[in-house]
Amino acid sequence: MRLTLSLLILSFFFAHCTQEPEVPQSGTTAPSVTDRPKGKLFIIGGGKRPPALVQTLINASGMEEGGYGIILPMSSGEPDTSAFYAIKQFTDLGLASSKFRSYNFRKGSYPQAAIDSLRNARLIYITGGDQNRFMDVVANSPVYDAIHEAYHSGATIAGTSAGAAVMSEKMITGNERRHPEYTGNFRTIESNNIEIGEGLGLLSTAIIDQHFIWRMRMNRLITVVLDHPDQMGIGIDESTAILVENGNAATVYGGYQVIVLRHPEGQTVTQDSLLGGRGLELNILLPGDSLNLD
């Protein structure tokens, strides 16, 4: 009797000790967690940058507490001059010039030491110029990856004018397909006209336009939102910025307005080349107003 009971206990023990670990069924995954960046975006609409606006950027980045900033002047046709004045706007407010470095990366040339420096910066500032020139150097490069790593680790990524346009995943290039000779007037709302390229993708739900009210770019933004109803259009005026925190909470700073355009119904019609749509939403934000980018 005791022998039989002992054999039963041993059989139960070995059966459970040698059991294969349970394998999840195909198609099951762990619950996803939204990966919110720890860093901030400071997106300036171009034009003059008053000291109060630059001070807001300094405060947001924590540069007075420590760390260093990197200037990326690749948008500019005169990168050395652009970097000089970008640094000057900070040193005029008391930050030491030794806290800043400038890297004028060239396509296909990405020194590892500079990439490591970029990855660990506290502030990354992208100057104005031509956003296409910038993305030609940065797209699918170690610079692109380093900017994203820095942003997710806690750095503040700032840009003005072209440096604002590159923040979007879908980037306004500045070119018109139907009217290739640039005038800056954007007199029409037509399909297949406003060219969209690849930006840095730091904003995935919005397309940024800059110099907005001063240069009367509403027709351009209406066209973009009708063409891309899954995106909100954000037009930032000169000497004005939005500070984006936690990946989705934006606040307006500076002297003028920010225009936000949405097309929630997503119904766009085309008649010949003319675009039409109903149910567009327009909001005009003043300094101090906030916006949820989700």
Side-chain angles (χ1 to χ4, degrees), residues 22-281:
E22 187 174 338
V23 178
Q25 294 182 357
S26 176
T28 62
T29 57
S32 61
V33 178
T34 303
D35 182 20
R36 293 286 187 189
K38 297 178 182 178
K40 303 171 185 177
L41 304 177
F42 197 79
I43 309 174
I44 308 168
K48 295 180 179 179
R49 296 173 295 282
L53 189 65
V54 178
Q55 187 62 55
T56 301
L57 170 55
I58 292 171
N59 295 344
S61 67
M63 281 289 290
E64 289 179 322
E65 302 166 13
Y68 59 88
I70 289 180
I71 310 300
L72 297 180
M74 292 92 76
S75 298
S76 175
E78 299 179 348
D80 292 341
T81 301
S82 184
F84 172 82
Y85 283 108
I87 294 172
K88 187 176 185 297
Q89 69 184 339
F90 297 110
T91 58
D92 284 349
L93 292 176
L95 293 182
S97 60
S98 59
K99 291 176 69 71
F100 292 92
R101 309 168 191 179
S102 174
Y103 294 135
N104 182 27
F105 291 101
R106 290 174 172 80
K107 189 172 183 178
S109 178
Y110 311 103
Q112 189 60 49
I115 295 298
D116 292 340
S117 181
L118 190 63
R119 188 180 291 115
N120 294 301
R122 189 154 198 168
L123 169 66
I124 298 172
Y125 184 90
I126 304 168
T127 69
D130 182 343
Q131 54 265 41
N132 303 293
R133 185 186 291 123
F134 183 89
M135 289 309 304
D136 184 56
V137 174
V138 170
N140 302 310
S141 78
V143 177
Y144 180 101
D145 295 336
I147 291 172
H148 277 261
E149 289 176 35
Y151 177 44
H152 280 268
S153 297
T156 296
I157 314 299
T160 184
S161 189
V166 300
M167 299 286 182
S168 309
E169 183 176 289
K170 297 178 179 179
M171 180 189 76
I172 295 174
T173 67
N175 300 323
E176 293 184 85
R177 294 191 182 95
R178 295 183 182 272
H179 311 283
E181 184 177 349
Y182 181 78
T183 64
N185 292 324
F186 304 103
R187 292 192 173 99
T188 66
I189 300 175
E190 296 180 276
S191 65
N192 194 34
N193 182 36
I194 303 301
E195 184 182 74
I196 297 294
E198 176 190 357
L200 282 174
L202 300 172
L203 287 177
S204 60
T205 61
I207 297 175
I208 298 293
D209 204 345
Q210 73 279 18
H211 303 280
F212 193 72
I213 299 172
W214 184 251
R215 298 190 185 178
M216 298 179 288
R217 288 176 166 175
M218 180 60 83
N219 283 353
R220 180 163 81 171
L221 196 62
I222 290 173
T223 304
V224 167
V225 170
L226 287 173
D227 276 338
H228 304 274
D230 60 318
Q231 302 279 306
M232 70 178 75
I234 301 179
I236 307 173
D237 203 15
E238 296 189 356
S239 303
T240 307
I242 60 171
L243 171 63
V244 181
E245 301 177 88
N246 199 36
N248 68 340
T251 305
V252 179
Y253 290 91
Y256 301 100
Q257 300 107 311
V258 169
I259 307 299
V260 181
L261 192 62
R262 291 187 176 95
H263 188 26
E265 296 183 10
Q267 296 180 357
T268 301
V269 295
T270 304
Q271 188 177 99
D272 295 326
S273 65
L274 303 181
L275 284 172
R278 296 178 182 269
L280 277 79
E281 296 179 358

Side-chain angles (χ1 to χ4, degrees), residues 3 11 18 29:
L3 179 61
S11 297
T18 57
T29 57

